[in-house]
Amino acid sequence: MLQIMNIGITDVAVIGGGLAAMYAALEASNYDKSVVIISKKPVGRSGASVISKSVHRFPPDHLKEKLSYKNKIIEAGRYINNRDLVDTFVEHASQKMDNIEKLKVGLNFKEKLIDGKNHKYFAACKPKMGKHLTIPLSNIIKTKDNINIMEGYMAVQIVIERDTVCGILIENKNRLYFLGAKAVVIATGGGGYNYIQTSNTNDLTGDGYAMALRAGLPLIDMEFIQFYPYRTVYPFQHDIFPDIFSHGAKYLNEKGERFMDKYPKKELENRDILSREMFFQKEIYLNIEDCDKDFMKEECDDLYDNYLKYKGEQIKVSPVAHFMMGGVKINADTSTDVRGLFCCGEVAGGLHGANRLAGHALTETVVFGHIAGEESAHYAGSKTKISVNFVKEETANWVPNIGEESPTNIKNILRRNMWESAGIVRNEDDLQRAKDKVEELEQQIKNLKPLKLRDWIECQNMIQTSKMIIDSCILRKESRGAHYRSDFPEEDINWQRNIIIN
């Protein structure tokens, strides 16, 4: 059994290195609290944020517009969104985006005229690359004397005593450490790397979901995975800015047919519909011959450069696992059922319901990252001391001894299994096969003695996350939003509710 070394105490510990984690850490630091960020990869270069298109869509600060926006979110979520989270998002988004603008981190804002006054509604970097936002933000964080960064460290387990958080178990180079914390914010992002075809980076292994489960927290809406229908796979890999379909771009199948012609919004239909239609085609190609080239050069110059580089070649596209609508069940103030434990960003569930509107993922990090930072700081301020002496080696008795083996093959089998049997189109037989295979892999990982402990923990987290996804998919015997079952192809009013698993 591995020994655990105590490494100190902080007011607020933030787990993650992407936008939600950085916003939470920055906000908590503004209340003169000591903050520690624990991130597997370099802060500002972690998770989905850094490879995003940097696009933020949000409701203008106008009453009528907010009401309309709220209805669009709920309609996209097929009426099972957490209304408190939706209200919070809509009410605070514009103000929080104003706060981000003041940081001068490279976002360019667009406005539209409403009732004689200009209102912001959109923001992105130029060019539209997430790193042009995440890296400047990380540079600001590094100037804060009360924020310490632990890069290359992985949070393994939330340590709890009497339903109250008291710290985090952390791994680095096959060693375990305990960091005492008055408050903890989980901002680890999603788990898209569970699928072999994904836009996610390889650090998004469902760590936050698995830690939450080990802490006894419920997960909500885990069956809803958004498969992103806007990604080229050959001759170059690149996300596609969806707005180009309003300027002449289109998808064609192997027969040269525009298969989305039967839908009013064409390629701008809800992502679940578009991904499903793409799934049923043999091949899909992006045709941008008739696209407004001035618009492309202005709004997606990197895609335009690739278009020129590979001119004459067909640009093949495919849907990929992109975003998890489900996650840890939270309250509107980002608190959870464990006192002192908060969650924000993609790891939290409930805001989006059965599907997410385009451009809301990064705005979600702004709104709820700030709230998590503020609330965790206030909570930490109410605590005079925490328990740190009780942490024993038994706390991590589920962690294996070090050996010579690698779980890489188990990871790869798991990822293929999830794509083939719990992907875009699902049915009872495939889901049951997926469940059986995951249970088989779970037994294999239990008996494995890894050369690198982190690889084993990530694999364990992927298995736990996959089990929750599959169980939720099996339970929901209908099709709704991003969850499509060929054996239950219709939406059922009796299933206008959430599945909660713990």
Side-chain angles (χ1 to χ4, degrees), residues 13 34 65-66 74 105 160 165-166 182 185 200 223 236 278 281 284 299 314 323 336 340 367 371 422 456 475:
S34 59
E65 290 284 324
K66 285 182 177 180
I74 293 169
V105 286
I160 298 166
V165 73
C166 63
K182 296 177 182 177
V185 178
N200 285 193
E223 66 271 35
F236 57 90
M278 293 172 74
Q281 310 303 315
I284 313 108
E299 297 294 340
Q314 288 186 306
F323 187 90
T336 68
V367 174
I371 292 173
W456 186 94
L475 282 169

Side-chain angles (χ1 to χ4, degrees), residues 94-110:
S94 181
Q95 176 215 332
K96 299 299 185 188
M97 289 303 300
D98 282 342
N99 293 343
I100 298 305
E101 186 177 22
K102 293 172 186 174
L103 292 176
K104 301 186 184 303
V105 286
L107 285 175
N108 297 294
F109 285 73
K110 291 184 179 180

Side-chain angles (χ1 to χ4, degrees), residues 66-100:
K66 285 182 177 180
L67 180 60
S68 172
Y69 212 94
K70 186 184 301 183
N71 291 335
K72 289 177 183 177
I73 292 172
I74 293 169
E75 181 183 4
R78 303 312 302 154
Y79 311 102
I80 63 168
N81 317 63
N82 180 313
R83 302 303 169 92
D84 289 340
L85 294 179
V86 174
D87 287 345
T88 300
F89 179 88
V90 170
E91 284 303 315
H92 293 279
S94 181
Q95 176 215 332
K96 299 299 185 188
M97 289 303 300
D98 282 342
N99 293 343
I100 298 305

Side-chain angles (χ1 to χ4, degrees), residues 320-426:
V320 292
H322 181 62
F323 187 90
M324 296 182 67
M325 274 71 72
V328 183
K329 190 173 183 293
I330 63 169
N331 302 309
D333 63 356
T334 72
S335 63
T336 68
D337 291 347
V338 173
R339 289 187 294 272
L341 182 56
F342 304 84
C343 288
C344 62
E346 188 176 348
V347 72
L351 170 63
H352 305 291
N355 209 350
R356 171 177 70 77
L357 287 175
H360 280 191
L362 299 192
T363 310
E364 178 185 8
T365 69
V366 174
V367 174
F368 292 100
H370 278 84
I371 292 173
E374 181 179 9
E375 293 295 327
S376 61
H378 288 331
Y379 181 87
S382 71
K383 300 288 288 183
T384 56
K385 62 179 181 179
I386 57 173
S387 299
V388 294
N389 295 324
F390 81 99
V391 179
K392 306 294 183 185
E393 279 64 40
E394 288 77 11
T395 306
N397 59 10
W398 56 277
V399 175
N401 292 320
I402 301 301
E404 298 289 333
E405 298 172 289
S406 169
T408 299
N409 189 51
I410 295 176
K411 278 187 181 181
N412 290 336
I413 292 172
L414 175 73
R415 297 178 70 213
R416 283 195 296 271
N417 177 61
M418 291 299 291
W419 178 255
E420 293 169 0
S421 300
I424 298 171
V425 176
R426 302 153 173 175

Side-chain angles (χ1 to χ4, degrees), residues 127-371:
K128 291 184 176 68
M129 299 173 70
K131 67 180 182 180
H132 295 307
L133 169 62
T134 60
I135 294 174
L137 189 60
S138 71
N139 290 336
I140 292 174
I141 282 175
K142 289 170 184 175
T143 67
K144 300 292 182 179
D145 292 335
N146 57 337
I147 299 180
N148 289 313
I149 299 174
M150 297 178 66
E151 291 178 338
Y153 289 76
M154 178 182 183
V156 175
Q157 184 168 325
I158 309 299
V159 181
I160 298 166
E161 184 182 42
R162 297 172 185 169
D163 296 324
T164 302
V165 73
C166 63
I168 309 171
L169 194 66
I170 303 167
E171 184 275 341
N172 177 258
K173 297 178 180 177
N174 287 350
R175 295 182 178 180
L176 293 177
Y177 303 90
F178 174 73
L179 173 68
K182 296 177 182 177
V184 172
V185 178
I186 301 178
T188 49
Y193 195 68
N194 277 37
Y195 290 86
I196 199 76
Q197 298 288 349
T198 182
S199 63
N200 285 193
T201 51
N202 62 6
D203 53 335
L204 293 173
T205 49
D207 302 337
Y209 308 124
M211 281 191 289
L213 280 171
R214 289 194 281 271
L217 291 177
L219 302 184
I220 186 171
D221 297 338
M222 291 297 287
E223 66 271 35
F224 297 113
I225 316 290
Q226 185 178 89
F227 292 91
Y228 191 64
Y230 303 117
R231 187 166 177 84
T232 69
V233 294
Y234 181 85
F236 57 90
Q237 293 189 353
H238 199 282
D239 284 348
I240 302 165
F241 183 41
D243 287 16
I244 68 170
F245 294 103
S246 297
H247 292 79
K250 54 193 172 187
Y251 278 162
L252 303 177
N253 64 15
E254 71 283 356
K255 299 176 183 177
E257 302 166 334
R258 189 177 187 181
F259 56 92
M260 291 303 294
D261 234 355
K262 58 187 175 183
Y263 292 97
K265 297 179 183 178
K266 306 292 190 290
E267 290 82 2
L268 293 174
E269 278 293 338
N270 281 350
R271 291 174 177 181
D272 53 296
I273 295 174
L274 178 55
S275 292
R276 194 157 59 245
E277 288 295 330
M278 293 172 74
F279 177 85
F280 291 126
Q281 310 303 315
K282 186 176 179 181
E283 302 283 356
I284 313 108
Y285 301 98
L286 173 65
N287 185 299
I288 48 180
E289 294 303 318
D290 298 328
C291 189
D292 183 338
K293 301 305 187 293
D294 289 334
F295 175 83
M296 285 186 65
K297 284 187 278 188
E298 177 68 23
E299 297 294 340
C300 37
D301 53 346
D302 42 355
L303 179 61
Y304 182 72
D305 290 343
N306 277 310
Y307 162 72
L308 293 178
K309 180 178 180 179
Y310 296 100
K311 194 170 177 61
E313 290 197 54
Q314 288 186 306
I315 303 172
K316 188 175 178 180
V317 296
S318 172
V320 292
H322 181 62
F323 187 90
M324 296 182 67
M325 274 71 72
V328 183
K329 190 173 183 293
I330 63 169
N331 302 309
D333 63 356
T334 72
S335 63
T336 68
D337 291 347
V338 173
R339 289 187 294 272
L341 182 56
F342 304 84
C343 288
C344 62
E346 188 176 348
V347 72
L351 170 63
H352 305 291
N355 209 350
R356 171 177 70 77
L357 287 175
H360 280 191
L362 299 192
T363 310
E364 178 185 8
T365 69
V366 174
V367 174
F368 292 100
H370 278 84
I371 292 173

